[in-house]
């Protein structure tokens, strides 16, 4: 069993989670449980591979090879029974650079692109920064979980939306979309010929009783419209190494995407990124299985202990990001923030960054850390809001 409860000091390592505390929370003594990286050590196999590569002592331009492509292919086949043609894989430093490229390459200025708030904040800016129009299809919140509003979505597609950005699993609400939901979404995209840009970066971290299904794998019709973006970064805590990949629907689409990535200067990963990606997918699965158990235990503890407060964790099917509902506190958004930052001293992601309208009474909490940190955070929340 991997040791996930040993606390590792990240101070003075230039870690964003710690360095940005004063900027975001107005003080440096908050317990940082926000940005989506883990306070947990990556798999030993990744560190070993990086150290072995570092010993070579030449860090020039590096590319991928067939072995890395086959490693990715084998991972996707084993985890999801997703049979991918490696000729359709493009690399980029992250999902967001890939998303920028997709928006620029496959839509035009003024085009409407649908997103589903509350959602990962860059989804808004990746549309707006290219002079496209954000069309919001808010998720429906009821019975402590979220579902898609397919009726509204169909109307938006009818009105001419050009593309749809899917978050699967969904960040921050923790939904792992069922096959039935994905089929309904796919049918709409195919009927109205809407491109589907599918961010599946959290797809490896799925809780018991749930299963991730890549939407491109449902049938040939939706596959022809879908670009699937994945990465080992969230799964294995290597986001700082900046390595992701996109699976295009066909070779012509891949050429268009690669041309745009070239314009952005984002077609080659750094030397260590390739090494880490290969080691993660070849040797990281046992570590991942232990991680999921650890996260499930942290989540169960959080759920049970917050019953002492008016704070409700929204039901999570996966990811290590928990969407907390503060609506029963009776406090407005600014007062919730003030109490969190200056009384509880717990640093959470501001719900309004995921949607001003639909995140006003929510905050996002990262539980990918030793149990001691979760217990500390819970004690502070109970003391402040209980």
């Amino acid at each position: 069993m991997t040791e996930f409860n040993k606390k590792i000091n990240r101070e003075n390592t230039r870690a964003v989670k710690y360095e940005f505390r004063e900027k975001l929370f107005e003080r440096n003594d908050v317990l940082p449980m926000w940005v989506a990286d883990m306070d947990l050590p990556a798999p030993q196999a990744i560190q070993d591979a990086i150290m072995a590569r570092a010993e070579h002592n030449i860090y020039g331009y590096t590319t991928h090879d067939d072995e890395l492509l086959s490693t990715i292919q084998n991972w996707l086949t084993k985890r999801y029974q997703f049979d991918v043609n490696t000729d359709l894989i493009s690399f980029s430093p992250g999902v967001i650079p890939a998303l920028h490229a997709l928006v620029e390459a496959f839509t035009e200025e003024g085009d409407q692109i649908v997103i589903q708030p509350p959602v990962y904040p860059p989804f808004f800016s990746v549309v707006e920064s290219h002079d496209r129009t954000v069309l919001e299809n808010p998720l429906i919140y009821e019975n402590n979980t979220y579902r898609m509003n397919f009726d509204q979505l169909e109307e938006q597609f009818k009105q001419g939306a050009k593309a749809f950005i899917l978050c699967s699993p969904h960040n921050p609400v923790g939904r792992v979309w069922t096959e039935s939901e994905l089929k309904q979404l796919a049918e709409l995209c195919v009927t109205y010929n809407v491109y589907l840009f599918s961010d599946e970066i959290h797809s490896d971290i799925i809780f018991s009783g749930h299963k991730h299904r890549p939407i491109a794998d449902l049938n040939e019709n939706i596959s022809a419209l879908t670009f699937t973006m994945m990465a080992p970064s969230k799964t294995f805590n290597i986001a700082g190494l900046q390595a992701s990949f996109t699976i295009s629907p066909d070779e012509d689409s891949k050429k268009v995407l690669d041309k745009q990535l070239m314009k952005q200067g984002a077609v080659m990963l750094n030397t260590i990124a390739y090494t880490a990606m290969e080691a993660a997918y070849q040797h990281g699965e046992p570590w991942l299985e232990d991680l999921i158990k650890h996260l499930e235990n942290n989540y169960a503890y959080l759920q049970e202990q917050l019953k002492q407060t008016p704070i409700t964790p929204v039901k999570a099917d996966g990811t290590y990001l928990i969407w907390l509902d503060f609506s029963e506190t009776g406090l407005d958004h600014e007062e919730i923030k003030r109490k969190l930052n200056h009384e509880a001293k717990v640093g959470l992601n501001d719900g309004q960054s995921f949607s001003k309208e639909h995140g006003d009474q929510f905050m996002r909490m990262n539980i990918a850390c030793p149990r001691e940190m979760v217990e500390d955070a819970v004690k502070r929340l109970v003391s402040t809001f209980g």
Side-chain angles (χ1 to χ4, degrees):
M1 184 79 177
T2 306
E3 179 52 68
F4 287 124
N5 285 318
K6 181 181 178 182
K7 194 169 181 181
I8 298 174
N9 184 4
R10 297 184 67 189
E11 300 280 1
N12 304 311
T13 62
R14 298 176 181 157
V16 166
K17 184 180 283 186
Y18 290 78
E19 295 296 327
F20 280 22
R21 282 179 293 186
E22 187 163 348
K23 178 180 178 181
L24 292 176
F25 309 111
E26 301 175 339
R27 57 193 310 147
N28 275 320
D29 59 349
V30 299
L31 186 66
M33 317 240 351
W34 61 290
V35 71
D37 69 9
M38 307 186 204
D39 285 304
L40 302 172
Q44 185 64 42
I46 294 179
Q47 185 178 44
D48 292 344
I50 290 173
M51 296 291 281
R53 179 63 185 83
E55 286 181 358
H56 185 261
N57 205 27
I58 294 178
Y59 313 114
Y61 297 117
T62 309
T63 187
H64 63 274
D65 56 16
D66 288 343
E67 184 175 0
L68 176 57
L69 291 172
S70 294
T71 296
I72 294 170
Q73 183 183 52
N74 292 339
W75 179 264
L76 298 179
T77 300
K78 184 174 184 181
R79 299 294 295 188
Y80 316 113
Q81 296 75 56
F82 186 22
D83 187 17
V84 170
N85 178 355
T86 58
D87 290 340
L88 302 180
I89 293 176
S90 302
F91 292 93
S92 68
V95 163
I96 296 305
L99 200 47
H100 276 282
L102 291 170
V103 168
E104 189 72 16
F106 294 96
T107 68
E108 304 290 338
E109 287 189 13
D111 279 350
Q112 295 179 330
I113 300 178
V114 181
I115 63 174
Q116 294 182 313
V119 73
Y120 185 47
F123 281 18
F124 293 89
S125 58
V126 83
V127 176
E128 294 167 341
S129 63
H130 297 286
D131 298 316
R132 277 60 167 171
T133 302
V134 170
L135 207 55
E136 296 191 17
N137 171 235
L139 299 176
I140 297 171
Y141 181 49
E142 58 186 16
N143 300 321
N144 196 37
T145 189
Y146 285 82
R147 60 181 175 86
M148 294 189 195
N149 186 341
F150 288 109
D151 291 338
Q152 184 195 48
L153 185 60
E154 181 165 19
E155 288 303 314
Q156 291 169 326
F157 283 2
K158 280 182 181 178
Q159 292 165 17
K162 187 68 174 291
F164 175 90
I165 304 177
L166 174 66
C167 199
S168 179
H170 195 283
N171 170 18
V173 309
R175 275 301 316 277
V176 173
W177 304 115
T178 64
E179 188 164 328
S180 174
E181 289 170 311
L182 293 174
K183 284 181 176 177
Q184 197 169 348
L185 172 61
E187 186 177 332
L188 289 177
C189 289
V190 171
T191 298
Y192 296 99
N193 196 34
V194 175
Y195 280 119
L196 180 58
F197 305 149
S198 188
D199 172 2
E200 303 188 18
I201 197 170
H202 292 279
S203 59
D204 293 320
I205 302 174
I206 307 296
F207 293 165
S208 300
H210 302 278
K211 182 177 176 61
H212 176 76
R213 181 76 186 269
I215 192 167
D217 194 41
L218 290 177
N219 57 62
E220 290 183 1
N221 291 331
I222 190 58
S223 177
L225 292 168
T226 302
F227 294 83
T228 304
M229 293 165 281
M230 292 178 158
S233 52
K234 303 300 182 190
T235 309
F236 299 105
N237 202 25
I238 55 174
L241 298 182
Q242 298 182 313
S244 81
F245 58 93
T246 301
I247 305 160
S248 293
D250 53 61
E251 290 187 8
D252 288 341
S253 297
K254 182 182 183 297
K255 287 177 183 176
V256 174
L257 172 59
D258 287 347
K259 184 178 179 180
Q260 182 59 41
L261 286 169
M262 182 76 74
K263 288 181 182 179
Q264 294 175 197
V267 289
M268 187 181 292
L269 305 186
N270 72 72
T271 301
I272 301 302
Y274 288 123
T275 297
M277 181 183 285
E278 185 171 67
Y281 286 146
Q282 286 184 350
H283 307 295
E285 191 167 45
W287 179 96
L288 174 59
E289 296 307 320
D290 288 345
L291 171 73
I292 291 171
K293 292 173 187 174
H294 177 76
L295 295 175
E296 288 177 330
N297 288 335
N298 278 355
Y299 175 51
Y301 175 83
L302 184 72
Q303 285 180 300
E304 183 59 33
Q305 295 301 313
L306 287 185
K307 289 178 181 177
Q308 304 173 61
T309 75
I311 305 168
T312 303
V314 172
K315 181 181 179 297
D317 306 331
T319 85
Y320 53 78
L321 305 167
I322 308 302
W323 193 230
L324 300 178
D325 182 352
F326 284 77
S327 59
E328 293 299 316
T329 65
L331 304 172
D332 65 22
H333 180 77
E334 289 304 315
E335 183 62 11
I336 293 169
K337 281 178 60 177
R338 189 196 67 75
K339 289 178 78 70
L340 281 170
N341 296 350
H342 300 291
E343 293 184 32
K345 299 180 184 176
V346 176
L348 305 180
N349 281 100
D350 189 335
Q352 282 195 350
S353 67
F354 300 89
S355 170
K356 286 187 178 179
E357 181 181 356
H358 302 283
D360 185 68
Q361 294 289 305
F362 295 84
M363 297 285 168
R364 191 188 74 172
M365 184 179 193
N366 181 342
I367 60 167
C369 57
R371 169 59 71 84
E372 178 186 336
M373 281 185 70
V374 177
E375 291 176 353
D376 189 1
V378 165
K379 287 176 184 176
R380 297 179 188 212
L381 293 173
V382 170
S383 175
T384 302
F385 294 93

